């Protein structure tokens, strides 16, 4: 059972890291340091249905760390913003998934909004040291909502096609 868990964790981190790398090829239309679309959060939506909290956080941190390493953004302000936003949104999404009152789209949209807000807070306090960057939030929320809905749709289709077999021993 432990080998299967580690294998699943590793595969989701690897897929998330590749998505992280690929999404850097899509131009992000806002002038935010390290701004990205958030398509790598798809693996978090997949993990929510069957993995414990510590594994969801491990995937969140792992995909951000390896993705940043692959894109040359490790130890940059964008990395700091990304890892804080990813871990915060993963925590909120995991909590929402445990209430069983939200669907994948709702969880994904809330995750994107928490991720964007956390990133802007980190940017305003540590990176640019100006609260004015938070005024980009509505635009980031709009762009993040697009990728959140796409992520939720893909996660829904993956879960529908493979069922619970991803989490069975």
């Amino acid at each position: 059972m432990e080998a299967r868990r580690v294998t699943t964790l590793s595969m989701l981190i690897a897929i998330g890291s590749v998505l992280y790398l690929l999404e850097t090829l899509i131009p992000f239309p806002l002038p935010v340091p390290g701004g990205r679309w958030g398509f790598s959060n798809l693996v978090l939506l997949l993990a929510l249905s069957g993995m414990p909290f510590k594994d969801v956080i491990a995937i969140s941190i792992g995909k951000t760390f390896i993705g940043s390493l692959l894109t040359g953004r490790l130890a940059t302000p964008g990395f700091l913003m990304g890892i804080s936003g990813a871990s915060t949104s993963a925590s909120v999404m995991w909590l929402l998934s445990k209430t069983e009152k939200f669907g994948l789209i709702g969880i994904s949209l809330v995750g994107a909004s928490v991720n964007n807000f956390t990133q802007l807070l980190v940017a305003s306090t540590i990176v640019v040291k100006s609260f004015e960057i938070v005024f980009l939030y509505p635009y980031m929320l709009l762009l993040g909502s697009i990728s959140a809905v796409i992520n939720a749709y893909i996660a829904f289709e993956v879960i529908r096609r493979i069922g619970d077999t991803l989490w069975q021993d």
Side-chain angles (χ1 to χ4, degrees):
M1 178 171 160
E2 185 65 16
R4 182 176 173 88
R5 184 183 142 266
V6 170
T7 303
T8 304
L9 249 175
S10 301
M11 287 178 19
L12 289 175
I13 290 172
I15 292 168
S17 300
V18 169
L19 289 174
Y20 188 105
L21 175 66
L22 291 176
E23 73 183 351
T24 60
L25 302 175
I26 305 169
F28 192 71
L30 292 176
V32 177
R36 298 178 311 103
W37 286 92
F39 292 118
S40 64
N41 293 326
L42 166 67
V43 293
L44 296 176
L45 290 172
L46 294 173
L48 290 175
S49 63
M51 297 190 112
F53 177 72
K54 66 180 181 178
D55 289 351
V56 173
I57 293 298
I59 293 168
S60 172
I61 292 172
K63 75 172 183 65
T64 304
F65 185 83
I66 295 172
S68 295
L69 187 65
L70 293 173
T71 58
R73 293 181 176 182
L74 192 62
T76 64
F79 169 74
L80 183 61
M81 293 167 52
I83 203 157
S84 59
S87 56
T88 305
S89 70
S91 301
V92 170
M93 289 193 308
W94 185 83
L95 285 172
L96 288 179
S97 72
K98 296 307 163 201
T99 66
E100 297 183 0
K101 294 183 178 181
F102 297 90
L104 282 175
I105 289 179
I107 292 171
S108 187
L109 285 170
V110 171
S113 65
V114 168
N115 192 330
N116 289 332
F117 189 70
T118 304
Q119 288 188 30
L120 287 175
L121 281 180
V122 169
S124 71
T125 57
I126 297 173
V127 180
V128 295
K129 298 184 179 176
S130 169
F131 191 73
E132 293 170 354
I133 196 169
V134 175
F135 294 122
L136 289 173
Y137 184 65
Y139 304 107
M140 288 185 72
L141 187 60
L142 177 65
L143 295 174
S145 295
I146 294 169
S147 58
V149 170
I150 293 170
N151 284 343
Y153 176 74
I154 294 171
F156 173 80
E157 284 297 322
V158 169
I159 292 169
R160 184 179 69 84
R161 291 173 193 227
I162 65 172
D164 291 336
T165 58
L166 185 61
W167 311 119
Q168 291 176 349
D169 291 327

